[in-house]
Every structure is written in C-alpha cells, then in structure tokens.
Amino acid sequence: GIWSLQLRQPLIRPAAIYAYRSTVSHVAASDALRQDARQSLLTNMIVTLGHLHFAAASLEASRIATNSAEQMLNLNQRQLRAGNGTRREIAEAQIDLARARQQIADAKLEQASQEAVWQQITGDSNAHLQPLPSSLAERLPTPEGDMSVLLALASEKQPALRAAREEREAARLDIRRAFSEHLPSLDLTASRSFSESNTENTIDNTFLTNRIDLQLTLPLFSGGATQARVRQSAAKLRQAEARLDGGLAKTRAQIARSLAGLSLNREQAASSRAAADAAKINLRSAELGMVAGTATLADKVNAEAAQAIAERDQVRANIEALINWCQLQQALGQLDEDSLRILMSLL
C-alpha cells in the first residue's frame, strides 16, 4: 500500500496580508456609514417634528384669521345695511375670508403630509407634540471655535468623513495587494509518505519518509493581469480621494450655512417674541377699549389676527433654529444621545 500526507502553512503571503487590512478598512467604513445613517434618521425625525409644530401653529393662525374674516364680513354687511358701508368693503372681506379658508386647507394638507412622514419614520401615527419654549432659539448651545476648529472636529467625528477616509485607506491597500502579485510568497510544508514493495529479492519492504520544507514561489509572468489590477485600484483610490475632498467641502459649506442660519433665526425669534408680546398688549387694549367705548370690534378682530400671526412667526423662527442646530450637530458628527438629552432638556 501507498499513502501520503502533506500539510502546508503559508508564512509570507503579501497579497493575503493586504487583503486582510483592506477588509478591516471596509468594515470600519461600513460601521461609520451605519452611524451616519443613524444621525440622518435622527435629523429627519427632528425636522419632521419641527414641520409638525409649524403646521399646527399655521393651522391655528389660519383658524383665527378665518374667524376674524367672518366677523369683519358680518360687520361690513351690517354697516352696509345701516348705510355706513360699501360693497367694495364687503367684497374685500369676502376675499380675505376665502384666502383664510384656503390657508386652513393648506395647513391641514401640510399637517397630514408631515404626519405621514412621521408615521413612516417611527411607525407611530401620533407625534405627541408639546408646546415649544418661546426662547428655544436663544437657548440652543453653539459650538465654540472658528471654522478651522469646527472643520477639524467634523473631520474627526463625522461618520461620513470617517467612512470616506477608511475607503481611501482601503483603496491604497488594494493597490498594494494588486502589486503584491509580483512579489514572492513563502510556505512551510510538512509531508509524510508510506510505501510497500515486494520484488524477487525483497519481501515486505516498507518505506516511511518524513520531510519538512520551505517553499518559495516567485511569479514570473502574469500576462498583464496584475498591471491591469494595479491601474484599476489606482483609479479607485483617486475616486476615494475625490469623495473625501468633496465631503470636506460639503461639510464646510454646511457648517457655515447652519451657523449663519442659526444666528439669523435667533434674531428672528427675538423679533417675533417682541411682536407677539406687543400683539397681546394690543389685544388686551382693544378688549378694554370695547368695554370703555374707545375701540371697535374691528380693532379687536385685527388685534387677534395680528397676535396669531406673530405667534406663528415665532414658532417658525424657533423651528428653523432647531433644524439648523440639528444640521450643524450632524455636520460636526455630534448628533448623538447626548445631543438629544440636551434638546429634550430645552423642550
């Protein structure tokens, strides 16, 4: 009988080493992209909540405007019957009423649309809205440092940029893996063989052979396949570097845009809050004036509409500030559980 057993242990395989390191970079990039998708989901949730808040505020303002328009129309009709009004005033009041009713329809449509988005994201049809603090925009924390500091922070923390860097590293390793096809490889082999032979002169001769070898393999010719893979990997590296450069430029623009928007929203929120406070005072004055006989129903109706519009604008400024803040946190790679805890403490 004859049998043979051979074991092979690779010692130096440059292609396998670079393939392993490239796989590690790809895994790290995938993990970073998963974190980026999670941050995008959080941003979408907060943006949708903001739009729901604004839709609710717009709907309330439209209802108040509709009620005001109906009262003005009734007032103009009574004045016309009393000989103190004109048909033009009635026509203008009818136009205002139609416009207010259309605003109600638009607000309801927007609210239904955002509720559908919220349900698609969370699976819950009810967003359970809570009143927004009037000073929300001013209380949102702003990161410290100039653009270079913020961009360095984003480059380190932002998952999308981390993924781009890992993809670039993987592309570099792929070039080395492709080029390593030109390099030799070294294997350790161990073998054992057994054979028996019977001849006219020998009976029951047995041979047992044990061997341990080092095998060096040197590629001589690959037909151009290795060079083609090297060029292909080099092209992928240039693509990865371009994606990283584009991501950095996009991040810089997003940080600048969010900071500018947040500053503007804070000014708008302060102005809207002052306008809302003034509208409340005007409404109270109109109500007292009607009791004293120094104000008319038209003054009260107009004050109610002005207050509703000011409160709606205040909600819009706070919501836009919240959205800009979330987009800034996402650009910096800091939209995580800590950011949500800060946000919930403000709300």
Side-chain angles (χ1 to χ4, degrees), residues 83-104:
N84 296 326
T86 64
R87 295 188 179 276
R88 179 180 177 180
E89 292 175 340
I90 292 178
E92 291 176 349
Q94 290 174 337
I95 293 174
D96 292 339
L97 178 59
R99 186 182 296 114
R101 288 173 175 172
Q102 182 60 45
Q103 290 174 352
I104 287 180

mmCIF file of all heavy atoms in Angstrom, residues 83-104:
data_model
loop_
_atom_site.group_PDB
_atom_site.id
_atom_site.type_symbol
_atom_site.label_atom_id
_atom_site.label_comp_id
_atom_site.label_asym_id
_atom_site.label_seq_id
_atom_site.Cartn_x
_atom_site.Cartn_y
_atom_site.Cartn_z
ATOM 1 N N GLY A 83 -76.273 101.800 6.066
ATOM 2 C CA GLY A 83 -75.931 102.925 5.208
ATOM 3 C C GLY A 83 -74.563 103.499 5.474
ATOM 4 O O GLY A 83 -74.226 104.569 4.960
ATOM 5 N N ASN A 84 -73.704 102.802 6.256
ATOM 6 C CA ASN A 84 -72.370 103.308 6.578
ATOM 7 C C ASN A 84 -71.242 102.540 5.894
ATOM 8 O O ASN A 84 -70.069 102.850 6.107
ATOM 9 C CB ASN A 84 -72.137 103.256 8.100
ATOM 10 C CG ASN A 84 -73.086 104.167 8.846
ATOM 11 O OD1 ASN A 84 -73.444 105.245 8.341
ATOM 12 N ND2 ASN A 84 -73.513 103.740 10.026
ATOM 13 N N GLY A 85 -71.590 101.541 5.112
ATOM 14 C CA GLY A 85 -70.574 100.725 4.459
ATOM 15 C C GLY A 85 -70.730 100.741 2.955
ATOM 16 O O GLY A 85 -71.656 101.335 2.398
ATOM 17 N N THR A 86 -69.769 100.049 2.293
ATOM 18 C CA THR A 86 -69.791 99.965 0.827
ATOM 19 C C THR A 86 -69.680 98.510 0.413
ATOM 20 O O THR A 86 -69.223 97.644 1.176
ATOM 21 C CB THR A 86 -68.623 100.753 0.221
ATOM 22 O OG1 THR A 86 -67.379 100.150 0.635
ATOM 23 C CG2 THR A 86 -68.639 102.204 0.674
ATOM 24 N N ARG A 87 -70.104 98.256 -0.825
ATOM 25 C CA ARG A 87 -69.993 96.902 -1.367
ATOM 26 C C ARG A 87 -68.529 96.515 -1.594
ATOM 27 O O ARG A 87 -68.182 95.336 -1.565
ATOM 28 C CB ARG A 87 -70.784 96.804 -2.662
ATOM 29 C CG ARG A 87 -72.280 96.986 -2.462
ATOM 30 C CD ARG A 87 -73.056 96.679 -3.733
ATOM 31 N NE ARG A 87 -74.480 96.842 -3.514
ATOM 32 C CZ ARG A 87 -75.279 95.915 -2.985
ATOM 33 N NH1 ARG A 87 -74.757 94.750 -2.603
ATOM 34 N NH2 ARG A 87 -76.565 96.142 -2.817
ATOM 35 N N ARG A 88 -67.693 97.500 -1.838
ATOM 36 C CA ARG A 88 -66.274 97.203 -2.007
ATOM 37 C C ARG A 88 -65.675 96.626 -0.731
ATOM 38 O O ARG A 88 -64.876 95.683 -0.774
ATOM 39 C CB ARG A 88 -65.530 98.475 -2.402
ATOM 40 C CG ARG A 88 -64.041 98.276 -2.584
ATOM 41 C CD ARG A 88 -63.356 99.551 -2.982
ATOM 42 N NE ARG A 88 -61.911 99.349 -3.091
ATOM 43 C CZ ARG A 88 -61.049 100.316 -3.428
ATOM 44 N NH1 ARG A 88 -61.498 101.549 -3.673
ATOM 45 N NH2 ARG A 88 -59.757 100.040 -3.498
ATOM 46 N N GLU A 89 -66.058 97.177 0.413
ATOM 47 C CA GLU A 89 -65.573 96.645 1.679
ATOM 48 C C GLU A 89 -66.047 95.214 1.897
ATOM 49 O O GLU A 89 -65.304 94.364 2.407
ATOM 50 C CB GLU A 89 -66.042 97.540 2.827
ATOM 51 C CG GLU A 89 -65.405 98.927 2.827
ATOM 52 C CD GLU A 89 -65.983 99.817 3.900
ATOM 53 O OE1 GLU A 89 -67.111 99.501 4.374
ATOM 54 O OE2 GLU A 89 -65.340 100.807 4.288
ATOM 55 N N ILE A 90 -67.286 94.938 1.488
ATOM 56 C CA ILE A 90 -67.805 93.567 1.612
ATOM 57 C C ILE A 90 -67.034 92.626 0.702
ATOM 58 O O ILE A 90 -66.668 91.502 1.087
ATOM 59 C CB ILE A 90 -69.311 93.538 1.284
ATOM 60 C CG1 ILE A 90 -70.098 94.299 2.373
ATOM 61 C CG2 ILE A 90 -69.808 92.102 1.170
ATOM 62 C CD1 ILE A 90 -71.581 94.357 2.120
ATOM 63 N N ALA A 91 -66.756 93.052 -0.519
ATOM 64 C CA ALA A 91 -66.002 92.211 -1.451
ATOM 65 C C ALA A 91 -64.595 91.925 -0.934
ATOM 66 O O ALA A 91 -64.092 90.794 -1.026
ATOM 67 C CB ALA A 91 -65.944 92.889 -2.817
ATOM 68 N N GLU A 92 -63.957 92.947 -0.382
ATOM 69 C CA GLU A 92 -62.620 92.737 0.177
ATOM 70 C C GLU A 92 -62.666 91.780 1.362
ATOM 71 O O GLU A 92 -61.771 90.934 1.529
ATOM 72 C CB GLU A 92 -62.033 94.080 0.605
ATOM 73 C CG GLU A 92 -61.691 94.997 -0.573
ATOM 74 C CD GLU A 92 -61.198 96.350 -0.106
ATOM 75 O OE1 GLU A 92 -61.324 96.627 1.113
ATOM 76 O OE2 GLU A 92 -60.690 97.126 -0.947
ATOM 77 N N ALA A 93 -63.710 91.900 2.201
ATOM 78 C CA ALA A 93 -63.846 90.990 3.339
ATOM 79 C C ALA A 93 -64.088 89.557 2.861
ATOM 80 O O ALA A 93 -63.580 88.593 3.455
ATOM 81 C CB ALA A 93 -64.986 91.452 4.244
ATOM 82 N N GLN A 94 -64.851 89.396 1.782
ATOM 83 C CA GLN A 94 -65.087 88.063 1.229
ATOM 84 C C GLN A 94 -63.790 87.457 0.676
ATOM 85 O O GLN A 94 -63.524 86.258 0.824
ATOM 86 C CB GLN A 94 -66.155 88.127 0.138
ATOM 87 C CG GLN A 94 -67.557 88.414 0.671
ATOM 88 C CD GLN A 94 -68.567 88.626 -0.432
ATOM 89 O OE1 GLN A 94 -68.217 88.979 -1.567
ATOM 90 N NE2 GLN A 94 -69.844 88.433 -0.119
ATOM 91 N N ILE A 95 -62.981 88.293 0.055
ATOM 92 C CA ILE A 95 -61.684 87.807 -0.451
ATOM 93 C C ILE A 95 -60.794 87.375 0.700
ATOM 94 O O ILE A 95 -60.140 86.321 0.650
ATOM 95 C CB ILE A 95 -61.001 88.907 -1.291
ATOM 96 C CG1 ILE A 95 -61.796 89.164 -2.583
ATOM 97 C CG2 ILE A 95 -59.562 88.517 -1.617
ATOM 98 C CD1 ILE A 95 -61.280 90.322 -3.393
ATOM 99 N N ASP A 96 -60.757 88.191 1.768
ATOM 100 C CA ASP A 96 -59.961 87.828 2.943
ATOM 101 C C ASP A 96 -60.444 86.518 3.558
ATOM 102 O O ASP A 96 -59.633 85.677 3.985
ATOM 103 C CB ASP A 96 -60.018 88.943 3.981
ATOM 104 C CG ASP A 96 -59.295 90.197 3.506
ATOM 105 O OD1 ASP A 96 -58.441 90.085 2.607
ATOM 106 O OD2 ASP A 96 -59.602 91.290 4.044
ATOM 107 N N LEU A 97 -61.770 86.326 3.593
ATOM 108 C CA LEU A 97 -62.321 85.096 4.161
ATOM 109 C C LEU A 97 -61.955 83.889 3.296
ATOM 110 O O LEU A 97 -61.566 82.832 3.816
ATOM 111 C CB LEU A 97 -63.841 85.218 4.284
ATOM 112 C CG LEU A 97 -64.578 83.977 4.819
ATOM 113 C CD1 LEU A 97 -64.051 83.612 6.203
ATOM 114 C CD2 LEU A 97 -66.086 84.244 4.857
ATOM 115 N N ALA A 98 -62.060 84.035 1.988
ATOM 116 C CA ALA A 98 -61.692 82.926 1.093
ATOM 117 C C ALA A 98 -60.208 82.591 1.217
ATOM 118 O O ALA A 98 -59.816 81.408 1.225
ATOM 119 C CB ALA A 98 -62.041 83.292 -0.346
ATOM 120 N N ARG A 99 -59.390 83.635 1.324
ATOM 121 C CA ARG A 99 -57.944 83.399 1.479
ATOM 122 C C ARG A 99 -57.654 82.683 2.805
ATOM 123 O O ARG A 99 -56.817 81.771 2.857
ATOM 124 C CB ARG A 99 -57.203 84.722 1.424
ATOM 125 C CG ARG A 99 -55.678 84.571 1.431
ATOM 126 C CD ARG A 99 -54.985 85.921 1.417
ATOM 127 N NE ARG A 99 -55.256 86.653 0.183
ATOM 128 C CZ ARG A 99 -55.945 87.772 0.111
ATOM 129 N NH1 ARG A 99 -56.458 88.312 1.220
ATOM 130 N NH2 ARG A 99 -56.133 88.390 -1.037
ATOM 131 N N ALA A 100 -58.332 83.073 3.868
ATOM 132 C CA ALA A 100 -58.111 82.436 5.165
ATOM 133 C C ALA A 100 -58.552 80.977 5.148
ATOM 134 O O ALA A 100 -57.876 80.105 5.714
ATOM 135 C CB ALA A 100 -58.855 83.208 6.254
ATOM 136 N N ARG A 101 -59.668 80.701 4.494
ATOM 137 C CA ARG A 101 -60.134 79.315 4.393
ATOM 138 C C ARG A 101 -59.163 78.469 3.566
ATOM 139 O O ARG A 101 -58.940 77.288 3.863
ATOM 140 C CB ARG A 101 -61.533 79.275 3.798
ATOM 141 C CG ARG A 101 -62.611 79.773 4.773
ATOM 142 C CD ARG A 101 -63.965 79.878 4.110
ATOM 143 N NE ARG A 101 -64.989 80.252 5.091
ATOM 144 C CZ ARG A 101 -66.253 80.569 4.766
ATOM 145 N NH1 ARG A 101 -66.629 80.571 3.478
ATOM 146 N NH2 ARG A 101 -67.115 80.884 5.718
ATOM 147 N N GLN A 102 -58.603 79.068 2.525
ATOM 148 C CA GLN A 102 -57.606 78.349 1.738
ATOM 149 C C GLN A 102 -56.363 78.061 2.573
ATOM 150 O O GLN A 102 -55.761 76.989 2.448
ATOM 151 C CB GLN A 102 -57.231 79.166 0.496
ATOM 152 C CG GLN A 102 -56.220 78.482 -0.424
ATOM 153 C CD GLN A 102 -56.727 77.161 -0.963
ATOM 154 O OE1 GLN A 102 -57.871 77.065 -1.401
ATOM 155 N NE2 GLN A 102 -55.888 76.134 -0.919
ATOM 156 N N GLN A 103 -56.001 78.999 3.435
ATOM 157 C CA GLN A 103 -54.854 78.773 4.319
ATOM 158 C C GLN A 103 -55.118 77.625 5.288
ATOM 159 O O GLN A 103 -54.210 76.855 5.609
ATOM 160 C CB GLN A 103 -54.525 80.051 5.081
ATOM 161 C CG GLN A 103 -53.936 81.159 4.205
ATOM 162 C CD GLN A 103 -53.763 82.464 4.963
ATOM 163 O OE1 GLN A 103 -54.215 82.599 6.104
ATOM 164 N NE2 GLN A 103 -53.112 83.430 4.333
ATOM 165 N N ILE A 104 -56.357 77.496 5.748
ATOM 166 C CA ILE A 104 -56.717 76.363 6.611
ATOM 167 C C ILE A 104 -56.527 75.046 5.854
ATOM 168 O O ILE A 104 -55.953 74.082 6.367
ATOM 169 C CB ILE A 104 -58.167 76.496 7.116
ATOM 170 C CG1 ILE A 104 -58.266 77.594 8.171
ATOM 171 C CG2 ILE A 104 -58.651 75.172 7.707
ATOM 172 C CD1 ILE A 104 -59.668 77.787 8.717
#
